[in-house]
Amino acid sequence: MSRIDPGGVAHVAGGEAGSLYAAGQKVYPKAVHGPVRRAKWAILAACLALYYLVPWLRWDRGAGMPDQAVLVDIANARIFLLWIEIWPQEIYFLTGLLVLAAIGLFAVTSLFGRVWCGFACPQTVWTDLFLWVERRIEGDRNARMRLDAAPTTRGKALRKLAKHAAWLVIAAATGGAWIMYFQDAPTVTRDILTGGASLETYVFFGLFAGTTYTLAGWAREQVCTYMCPWPRFQAAMLDENSLVVSYRGWRGEPRGKAKAAGVGDCVDCRACLHACPTGIDIRDGQQLECIGCGLCIDACDEVMRRLSRPAGLVAFETLANLAASEAATAGIAPGPARQVRGMKARQPVRFSRPRTWLYAGVLGAVAAVMLGAFLLRPTATLAVLRDRAPIFVRLSDGGIRNAYTLKLENRTRPDAALALVLDAPEGFRLVVQDSAADAEARPLLALRQDGITQWRALVTAPAGAGLPESTPVRFRLLDAAGHTVLAERSVFLAPK
Amino acid sequence: MPTKIEKDAVSGTLTTGHEWDGIKELNTPLPKWWLYVFYATIAFAAVWVVLYPALPIQGATGLTGWTARGAIEQEMAEHAERLEPRLAAIRDAAPQEILADPELRNFALAGGRVAFANNCAACHGAGGQGAQGGFPSLADDDWLWGGKLADIRQTIAHGIRNAEDEAARTTMMPRFLADGLLSAAQVNEVAEHVLSLSGRATDAAAARRGAAVFAENCSSCHGNDGRGSRELGAPDLADQIWLYGGDKAAVVQSVSYARAGVMPAWGGRLDPAVVNMLTVYVHSLGGGEPE
């Protein structure tokens, strides 16, 4: 691995000696064609379709409920996800999802390198989209470089204007779609377009549209290199068995002209460098700026095909295989023989490793806990809060009364009324303020659909009952068939 | 310690020219835009200091005139404006009508709870449990002046023995010993009789003698059987609840020197809507009686 360069700052370290700040160097990625590029287009289309279309999916939840399939309803403190409804106190499901996403990211990175960065990260996806627009309007790499170097003319200004206008339209759509996850999509779209939306809506719309335009249009690779924390610690997930975008130096070096004798397969055409969206040279080895998008693979393979050489001079390859190939080809002169020996020395990629099993295990455990918690989540809860001021009330006949606040939370749709009974010693009387009563004169508590109802219960112990300081009691709610639906324990307190 | 800038042998990167005990710092320059963002934050701070109160000087409010106190006052005013329609409805409604409307009832109970904590809890306790020495419990089933909504509202609005309000409930118990109406022996006998009403007499003979004293002096207000009178605010002497203590010494004290608890009138101090909310809230504490 002697070729692996520890540094990766070649393109910014070029500043004049002594300066602690370097002027940015604009990157002009060249369009490439090939399987990696096609995979990137497919993932880009899928991600964008998901992002833009999901808010428009409808889901019938009955009258008075939002009919949007995916909605984070902050005003009403609910998250709607198809048939699932998350209450604020269940926010740990969201936390669990984020934990799953993080561990999933670790697992995928340890297996396949930085595929998240290269293929699915929103920064990559939108930058790719913006680059595509840029290419349509200003042309490919060389045309863009010429255009930027040319003096300002009417044509140049028009092109630039068209590009930024297109970018702003995409950015506005992006910011708008974000808002749609938090408000009803058709309504908020109409409100934004007609000027009827709230100030907050416009602020967040502007915030997300602005960041999309800035980050995908202007900042691009600067986000990955300087702002994003993920490249800084992803090395902890990678090892020599992870697939990473690699230059097979054992095959390419020494570089030289295609027809020269005694040189490797790399013809130093710089196609990989020109295709790179972060402007690095993959031949310098693993480096922080490499987002693992693999576009250099497509670029190099195309050159190799034209030269009738085997593809794969740059490839998704493990560091272990690189080292093995290098060791096997030491001392062999450049040529087909070295290529064959080097490729033969490779071992199948070891996906089954302690590290990957550990990630898979943690992923499975967290997913199992989440699923269990989700399947066992109650659809209704009863909370009993005993009044503390006063702890008890002495009545004129010498009886003792305690008061309780009952909170009935109903997460299901249908309305229902449940009868309340009290499990307590003989003679205790239960009264619920402002409640109806059923045929057996038991308090009947109405459940509100998808909401909380609150009741005040007064429990009276008769005079002379000789009560201890604390008597356990239990409130039970019975359905129409007389089955206990919910139960909650509390205590009845009396003076010493 | 500054040294000369040189090329690092391993990485090929230039050093910054700084050295600490032989450790040299590589120069991996930040992008210029990063520096510009830093300058932009400084410019932002300068603008902020001019527009908003940022200097620790009295009266330095900034050009916008914004203050935290002003912002709170505005929020409070907006909040009051939002509440006003419901408060107006509560102001105009009788307490029974408030209880009949679930929305008004919830609003009144929540508002009453806050108003009670602000105005009433100092004497009557946080949950209306009262306090010894003349501050009655509002959560029990014993009322001096009545526990119906109208009774409670009248008491809150006009107070008890409150000289400043003509509509206040007022009665006076005579000071039987202090004013020479009864002898000390008679006071003792009538106290024994009062204790006997709740089965706690210590001297049966004295209690019997006291019955006659009671019938002559006390029954006009407290009733022949000592069950009290709500028209006169005369407490029930036969139950288990004693506002000033139920032992013999306390009863003797009450007979000898009388008791006259005072409650201020809240009608003039509080919004009528708040009086209505308090009425509904106190009624809900546990002692409220049906109309």
Side-chain angles (χ1 to χ4, degrees), chain B residues 38-59:
Chain B
F38 176 57
Y39 291 152
T41 61
I42 295 174
F44 179 87
V47 173
W48 185 273
V49 166
V50 172
L51 291 182
Y52 285 92
L55 303 172
I57 301 168
Q58 190 82 33

PDB file of all heavy atoms in Angstrom, chain B residues 38-59:
ATOM      1  N   PHE B  38     -16.754  34.114   8.217  1.00  0.00           N
ATOM      2  CA  PHE B  38     -16.401  34.649   9.530  1.00  0.00           C
ATOM      3  C   PHE B  38     -16.551  36.171   9.543  1.00  0.00           C
ATOM      4  O   PHE B  38     -17.133  36.748  10.461  1.00  0.00           O
ATOM      5  CB  PHE B  38     -14.964  34.228   9.872  1.00  0.00           C
ATOM      6  CG  PHE B  38     -14.454  34.807  11.164  1.00  0.00           C
ATOM      7  CD1 PHE B  38     -15.130  34.601  12.360  1.00  0.00           C
ATOM      8  CD2 PHE B  38     -13.293  35.563  11.179  1.00  0.00           C
ATOM      9  CE1 PHE B  38     -14.658  35.138  13.541  1.00  0.00           C
ATOM     10  CE2 PHE B  38     -12.816  36.104  12.368  1.00  0.00           C
ATOM     11  CZ  PHE B  38     -13.506  35.886  13.541  1.00  0.00           C
ATOM     12  N   TYR B  39     -16.051  36.835   8.506  1.00  0.00           N
ATOM     13  CA  TYR B  39     -16.200  38.292   8.420  1.00  0.00           C
ATOM     14  C   TYR B  39     -17.677  38.682   8.378  1.00  0.00           C
ATOM     15  O   TYR B  39     -18.097  39.679   8.980  1.00  0.00           O
ATOM     16  CB  TYR B  39     -15.504  38.838   7.168  1.00  0.00           C
ATOM     17  CG  TYR B  39     -13.991  38.737   7.224  1.00  0.00           C
ATOM     18  CD1 TYR B  39     -13.242  38.619   6.059  1.00  0.00           C
ATOM     19  CD2 TYR B  39     -13.321  38.771   8.441  1.00  0.00           C
ATOM     20  CE1 TYR B  39     -11.861  38.526   6.103  1.00  0.00           C
ATOM     21  CE2 TYR B  39     -11.934  38.671   8.497  1.00  0.00           C
ATOM     22  CZ  TYR B  39     -11.217  38.555   7.324  1.00  0.00           C
ATOM     23  OH  TYR B  39      -9.858  38.455   7.387  1.00  0.00           O
ATOM     24  N   ALA B  40     -18.454  37.857   7.675  1.00  0.00           N
ATOM     25  CA  ALA B  40     -19.886  38.160   7.566  1.00  0.00           C
ATOM     26  C   ALA B  40     -20.554  38.103   8.936  1.00  0.00           C
ATOM     27  O   ALA B  40     -21.431  38.920   9.253  1.00  0.00           O
ATOM     28  CB  ALA B  40     -20.564  37.179   6.609  1.00  0.00           C
ATOM     29  N   THR B  41     -20.124  37.164   9.784  1.00  0.00           N
ATOM     30  CA  THR B  41     -20.720  37.086  11.123  1.00  0.00           C
ATOM     31  C   THR B  41     -20.356  38.323  11.936  1.00  0.00           C
ATOM     32  O   THR B  41     -21.161  38.807  12.728  1.00  0.00           O
ATOM     33  CB  THR B  41     -20.261  35.820  11.868  1.00  0.00           C
ATOM     34  OG1 THR B  41     -18.843  35.865  12.026  1.00  0.00           O
ATOM     35  CG2 THR B  41     -20.671  34.564  11.154  1.00  0.00           C
ATOM     36  N   ILE B  42     -19.146  38.851  11.721  1.00  0.00           N
ATOM     37  CA  ILE B  42     -18.745  40.074  12.431  1.00  0.00           C
ATOM     38  C   ILE B  42     -19.620  41.242  11.967  1.00  0.00           C
ATOM     39  O   ILE B  42     -20.127  42.018  12.775  1.00  0.00           O
ATOM     40  CB  ILE B  42     -17.253  40.371  12.183  1.00  0.00           C
ATOM     41  CG1 ILE B  42     -16.396  39.265  12.809  1.00  0.00           C
ATOM     42  CG2 ILE B  42     -16.875  41.732  12.772  1.00  0.00           C
ATOM     43  CD1 ILE B  42     -14.919  39.376  12.508  1.00  0.00           C
ATOM     44  N   ALA B  43     -19.829  41.313  10.655  1.00  0.00           N
ATOM     45  CA  ALA B  43     -20.680  42.382  10.122  1.00  0.00           C
ATOM     46  C   ALA B  43     -22.098  42.248  10.659  1.00  0.00           C
ATOM     47  O   ALA B  43     -22.738  43.228  11.044  1.00  0.00           O
ATOM     48  CB  ALA B  43     -20.678  42.326   8.592  1.00  0.00           C
ATOM     49  N   PHE B  44     -22.571  41.017  10.733  1.00  0.00           N
ATOM     50  CA  PHE B  44     -23.912  40.760  11.259  1.00  0.00           C
ATOM     51  C   PHE B  44     -24.010  41.260  12.703  1.00  0.00           C
ATOM     52  O   PHE B  44     -24.971  41.916  13.096  1.00  0.00           O
ATOM     53  CB  PHE B  44     -24.210  39.265  11.186  1.00  0.00           C
ATOM     54  CG  PHE B  44     -25.555  38.879  11.725  1.00  0.00           C
ATOM     55  CD1 PHE B  44     -26.673  38.911  10.910  1.00  0.00           C
ATOM     56  CD2 PHE B  44     -25.705  38.488  13.048  1.00  0.00           C
ATOM     57  CE1 PHE B  44     -27.916  38.557  11.402  1.00  0.00           C
ATOM     58  CE2 PHE B  44     -26.950  38.140  13.547  1.00  0.00           C
ATOM     59  CZ  PHE B  44     -28.049  38.171  12.719  1.00  0.00           C
ATOM     60  N   ALA B  45     -22.956  40.976  13.486  1.00  0.00           N
ATOM     61  CA  ALA B  45     -22.959  41.383  14.891  1.00  0.00           C
ATOM     62  C   ALA B  45     -23.000  42.906  14.998  1.00  0.00           C
ATOM     63  O   ALA B  45     -23.709  43.460  15.848  1.00  0.00           O
ATOM     64  CB  ALA B  45     -21.732  40.830  15.605  1.00  0.00           C
ATOM     65  N   ALA B  46     -22.264  43.577  14.128  1.00  0.00           N
ATOM     66  CA  ALA B  46     -22.246  45.043  14.170  1.00  0.00           C
ATOM     67  C   ALA B  46     -23.635  45.597  13.894  1.00  0.00           C
ATOM     68  O   ALA B  46     -24.124  46.489  14.604  1.00  0.00           O
ATOM     69  CB  ALA B  46     -21.240  45.563  13.146  1.00  0.00           C
ATOM     70  N   VAL B  47     -24.295  45.050  12.882  1.00  0.00           N
ATOM     71  CA  VAL B  47     -25.650  45.493  12.563  1.00  0.00           C
ATOM     72  C   VAL B  47     -26.591  45.200  13.738  1.00  0.00           C
ATOM     73  O   VAL B  47     -27.423  46.023  14.130  1.00  0.00           O
ATOM     74  CB  VAL B  47     -26.146  44.796  11.280  1.00  0.00           C
ATOM     75  CG1 VAL B  47     -27.610  45.115  11.022  1.00  0.00           C
ATOM     76  CG2 VAL B  47     -25.287  45.212  10.099  1.00  0.00           C
ATOM     77  N   TRP B  48     -26.411  44.047  14.321  1.00  0.00           N
ATOM     78  CA  TRP B  48     -27.250  43.628  15.441  1.00  0.00           C
ATOM     79  C   TRP B  48     -27.137  44.614  16.614  1.00  0.00           C
ATOM     80  O   TRP B  48     -28.127  45.009  17.219  1.00  0.00           O
ATOM     81  CB  TRP B  48     -26.824  42.217  15.875  1.00  0.00           C
ATOM     82  CG  TRP B  48     -27.693  41.645  16.948  1.00  0.00           C
ATOM     83  CD1 TRP B  48     -27.551  41.815  18.296  1.00  0.00           C
ATOM     84  CD2 TRP B  48     -28.849  40.832  16.777  1.00  0.00           C
ATOM     85  NE1 TRP B  48     -28.546  41.159  18.961  1.00  0.00           N
ATOM     86  CE2 TRP B  48     -29.357  40.549  18.049  1.00  0.00           C
ATOM     87  CE3 TRP B  48     -29.500  40.322  15.647  1.00  0.00           C
ATOM     88  CZ2 TRP B  48     -30.491  39.778  18.233  1.00  0.00           C
ATOM     89  CZ3 TRP B  48     -30.618  39.544  15.848  1.00  0.00           C
ATOM     90  CH2 TRP B  48     -31.106  39.280  17.121  1.00  0.00           C
ATOM     91  N   VAL B  49     -25.902  45.001  16.914  1.00  0.00           N
ATOM     92  CA  VAL B  49     -25.671  45.901  18.044  1.00  0.00           C
ATOM     93  C   VAL B  49     -26.380  47.234  17.805  1.00  0.00           C
ATOM     94  O   VAL B  49     -26.913  47.847  18.729  1.00  0.00           O
ATOM     95  CB  VAL B  49     -24.154  46.104  18.252  1.00  0.00           C
ATOM     96  CG1 VAL B  49     -23.888  47.284  19.171  1.00  0.00           C
ATOM     97  CG2 VAL B  49     -23.531  44.847  18.817  1.00  0.00           C
ATOM     98  N   VAL B  50     -26.409  47.673  16.543  1.00  0.00           N
ATOM     99  CA  VAL B  50     -27.065  48.951  16.253  1.00  0.00           C
ATOM    100  C   VAL B  50     -28.586  48.815  16.346  1.00  0.00           C
ATOM    101  O   VAL B  50     -29.278  49.683  16.866  1.00  0.00           O
ATOM    102  CB  VAL B  50     -26.650  49.443  14.845  1.00  0.00           C
ATOM    103  CG1 VAL B  50     -27.469  50.664  14.452  1.00  0.00           C
ATOM    104  CG2 VAL B  50     -25.166  49.758  14.829  1.00  0.00           C
ATOM    105  N   LEU B  51     -29.113  47.684  15.868  1.00  0.00           N
ATOM    106  CA  LEU B  51     -30.567  47.548  15.781  1.00  0.00           C
ATOM    107  C   LEU B  51     -31.213  47.106  17.089  1.00  0.00           C
ATOM    108  O   LEU B  51     -32.331  47.480  17.390  1.00  0.00           O
ATOM    109  CB  LEU B  51     -30.922  46.544  14.678  1.00  0.00           C
ATOM    110  CG  LEU B  51     -30.632  46.989  13.252  1.00  0.00           C
ATOM    111  CD1 LEU B  51     -31.071  45.912  12.276  1.00  0.00           C
ATOM    112  CD2 LEU B  51     -31.344  48.295  12.930  1.00  0.00           C
ATOM    113  N   TYR B  52     -30.508  46.280  17.856  1.00  0.00           N
ATOM    114  CA  TYR B  52     -31.135  45.656  19.023  1.00  0.00           C
ATOM    115  C   TYR B  52     -30.399  46.042  20.293  1.00  0.00           C
ATOM    116  O   TYR B  52     -29.232  46.430  20.253  1.00  0.00           O
ATOM    117  CB  TYR B  52     -31.132  44.125  18.862  1.00  0.00           C
ATOM    118  CG  TYR B  52     -32.158  43.660  17.880  1.00  0.00           C
ATOM    119  CD1 TYR B  52     -31.838  43.486  16.548  1.00  0.00           C
ATOM    120  CD2 TYR B  52     -33.466  43.433  18.293  1.00  0.00           C
ATOM    121  CE1 TYR B  52     -32.796  43.089  15.637  1.00  0.00           C
ATOM    122  CE2 TYR B  52     -34.428  43.027  17.394  1.00  0.00           C
ATOM    123  CZ  TYR B  52     -34.090  42.857  16.060  1.00  0.00           C
ATOM    124  OH  TYR B  52     -35.043  42.464  15.176  1.00  0.00           O
ATOM    125  N   PRO B  53     -31.069  45.943  21.462  1.00  0.00           N
ATOM    126  CA  PRO B  53     -30.382  46.267  22.713  1.00  0.00           C
ATOM    127  C   PRO B  53     -29.287  45.239  22.984  1.00  0.00           C
ATOM    128  O   PRO B  53     -29.578  44.104  23.316  1.00  0.00           O
ATOM    129  CB  PRO B  53     -31.491  46.193  23.762  1.00  0.00           C
ATOM    130  CG  PRO B  53     -32.554  45.358  23.148  1.00  0.00           C
ATOM    131  CD  PRO B  53     -32.466  45.581  21.676  1.00  0.00           C
ATOM    132  N   ALA B  54     -28.034  45.630  22.781  1.00  0.00           N
ATOM    133  CA  ALA B  54     -26.928  44.691  22.935  1.00  0.00           C
ATOM    134  C   ALA B  54     -25.905  45.202  23.936  1.00  0.00           C
ATOM    135  O   ALA B  54     -25.090  44.427  24.417  1.00  0.00           O
ATOM    136  CB  ALA B  54     -26.248  44.456  21.585  1.00  0.00           C
ATOM    137  N   LEU B  55     -25.934  46.497  24.235  1.00  0.00           N
ATOM    138  CA  LEU B  55     -24.922  47.055  25.134  1.00  0.00           C
ATOM    139  C   LEU B  55     -25.473  47.097  26.549  1.00  0.00           C
ATOM    140  O   LEU B  55     -26.645  47.420  26.757  1.00  0.00           O
ATOM    141  CB  LEU B  55     -24.554  48.473  24.681  1.00  0.00           C
ATOM    142  CG  LEU B  55     -24.063  48.563  23.241  1.00  0.00           C
ATOM    143  CD1 LEU B  55     -23.921  50.014  22.817  1.00  0.00           C
ATOM    144  CD2 LEU B  55     -22.745  47.832  23.084  1.00  0.00           C
ATOM    145  N   PRO B  56     -24.647  46.780  27.545  1.00  0.00           N
ATOM    146  CA  PRO B  56     -25.134  46.769  28.926  1.00  0.00           C
ATOM    147  C   PRO B  56     -25.238  48.182  29.494  1.00  0.00           C
ATOM    148  O   PRO B  56     -24.638  48.509  30.508  1.00  0.00           O
ATOM    149  CB  PRO B  56     -24.081  45.933  29.656  1.00  0.00           C
ATOM    150  CG  PRO B  56     -22.846  46.132  28.869  1.00  0.00           C
ATOM    151  CD  PRO B  56     -23.254  46.345  27.449  1.00  0.00           C
ATOM    152  N   ILE B  57     -25.973  49.027  28.825  1.00  0.00           N
ATOM    153  CA  ILE B  57     -26.149  50.409  29.257  1.00  0.00           C
ATOM    154  C   ILE B  57     -27.640  50.671  29.382  1.00  0.00           C
ATOM    155  O   ILE B  57     -28.417  50.306  28.492  1.00  0.00           O
ATOM    156  CB  ILE B  57     -25.545  51.389  28.217  1.00  0.00           C
ATOM    157  CG1 ILE B  57     -24.058  51.104  28.032  1.00  0.00           C
ATOM    158  CG2 ILE B  57     -25.784  52.835  28.644  1.00  0.00           C
ATOM    159  CD1 ILE B  57     -23.468  51.805  26.834  1.00  0.00           C
ATOM    160  N   GLN B  58     -28.031  51.303  30.486  1.00  0.00           N
ATOM    161  CA  GLN B  58     -29.444  51.633  30.684  1.00  0.00           C
ATOM    162  C   GLN B  58     -29.926  52.495  29.518  1.00  0.00           C
ATOM    163  O   GLN B  58     -29.293  53.492  29.166  1.00  0.00           O
ATOM    164  CB  GLN B  58     -29.591  52.390  31.999  1.00  0.00           C
ATOM    165  CG  GLN B  58     -31.010  52.577  32.446  1.00  0.00           C
ATOM    166  CD  GLN B  58     -31.522  51.336  33.162  1.00  0.00           C
ATOM    167  OE1 GLN B  58     -30.765  50.656  33.834  1.00  0.00           O
ATOM    168  NE2 GLN B  58     -32.797  51.029  32.993  1.00  0.00           N
ATOM    169  N   GLY B  59     -31.020  52.119  28.918  1.00  0.00           N
ATOM    170  CA  GLY B  59     -31.596  52.947  27.869  1.00  0.00           C
ATOM    171  C   GLY B  59     -31.031  52.706  26.486  1.00  0.00           C
ATOM    172  O   GLY B  59     -31.487  53.321  25.530  1.00  0.00           O
TER     173      GLY B  59
END
